[in-house]
Amino acid sequence: MVALAITAAATCARAVRNVQITTGQPPSIDELWQDPGDVGSRDLFHGPGGEALMPRDTTFTFVAEDTTGYSPGFDVTDDKQIEWSVKTGPEAQSEVATSRILWAIGFHQPPTYYIEKWSLTGARTGPQPPGRFRPDLPGGEVVGDWPWHENPFVGSRPFGGLIVANLLLTNWDWKTSNNKIYQLKEPINGVSRWFVVRDLGASLGKFTYPTVLKWFRLRGFGQGTRSDVADFETQGFITRIDRDRADVTFDYRGIYGDVIDTVVPDDVRWACERLSRLTDAQWRDAFRAAGYTPDQGARFTAKIKEKIAQGLQLAAAN
C-alpha cells in the first residue's frame, strides 16, 4: 500500500506538453478550432449537423447494446441505413447542450440530436427512454484518441480557451478516450482532420472531490454531477486572477489540476468574449434542443452568463 501510494502521488502531477500526435502530418490549430465568424448567426437548435441530418423517423432498428461508460446506450440504424450511437440517461441532455455551445464558438463537434420519444425494432423492441443520437457518417472516421496533457495545441489560445469553456460548463470527465481524432474523407473548411472533445455528458452539474482522490489519481471515481441545474447554480467559476504571475485560480478540485494550471488570464478573456456573443435566442435553442424545459434552460443560461461576466470582469481588471 505504501509503494502504491508513492506511485500514485508521483503521477498526480504530470507535465503538460505540446507534442505531435500522429507522425507525418504536422498539426494545425484549425484542426481543433476555426473562427466561426458571426457567432450570433449559428443555429444552436439543429447544431453542427443542421436540420437536414436531424432524424425524422422515430423507429430505429436495433444493432447492438452499448454497456460501456456511465450511461446505457445502443447502436441503431434508421430507415436510410444511417447508423446512430444512442446514449440514454441524464448525460443525453447535457451532452447535446454542451456540444452545441462549444461548436457555436468554433470548436469542432460531431452532429448530435436529442429525441424524447422513439422505439426499437429487431432483437430489441418497444419504446425507449429519451436519448442523444450521434450519427456514424461515412465522411469522417475516428482514427484515434488524444489526451489533454499531451497534444499539438498546448500553449495556444484556443486550447486554453477550450479548458476555460469546459470548466465554465462544469465538464469534469476528461479521460483520453473521450477525445477523438476524426480523419475526414473530404476536407472541410480547408482541414482534413478534427481534434474533438466528445462525450460531454458529464457537464452542467457541479464539481466534487471524493476523499480517495487526495491520495490516488483514479478516474473511476466520479468528480462531479451531471445535468443538474440546482447543482450547476451552486458551482463557482473563478476565485482569483493574478495577471502579474499570469495565474488563474478556478473553483475546481479534481485530478486535472495540472492541465487547468496552464490557463492564463488571456485564455479566460478569449473564451468568455466568444461565449458572450451568443444571443438569448441561441441560448434558448441550445437547451431546447437538449430537451430541457424553458425554466431549466433559463436557469442554466443565467448562471452561464454570470460566469461569463465574472470572467470578463476579472480578466479586464488584472
Side-chain angles (χ1 to χ4, degrees), residues 237-302:
F237 181 36
I238 297 171
T239 59
R240 184 178 64 87
I241 288 182
D242 185 340
R243 184 167 289 278
D244 291 336
R245 298 174 56 193
D247 180 61
V248 184
T249 304
F250 291 93
D251 185 10
Y252 171 84
R253 295 180 71 202
I255 66 174
Y256 295 99
D258 37 14
V259 176
I260 293 165
D261 285 345
T262 66
V263 171
V264 298
D266 285 343
D267 296 333
V268 175
R269 184 198 300 272
W270 187 93
C272 289
E273 282 182 346
R274 280 155 180 77
L275 288 167
S276 70
R277 299 172 192 170
L278 291 172
T279 67
D280 289 341
Q282 286 175 302
W283 289 116
R284 285 193 296 270
D285 282 346
F287 288 102
R288 182 166 64 96
Y292 290 108
T293 66
D295 176 66
Q296 289 172 325
R299 290 171 64 186
F300 276 121
T301 300

Side-chain angles (χ1 to χ4, degrees), residues 23-37:
T23 58
Q25 192 170 359
S28 164
I29 196 63
D30 288 347
E31 295 174 339
L32 177 73
W33 173 86
Q34 289 186 305
D35 189 341

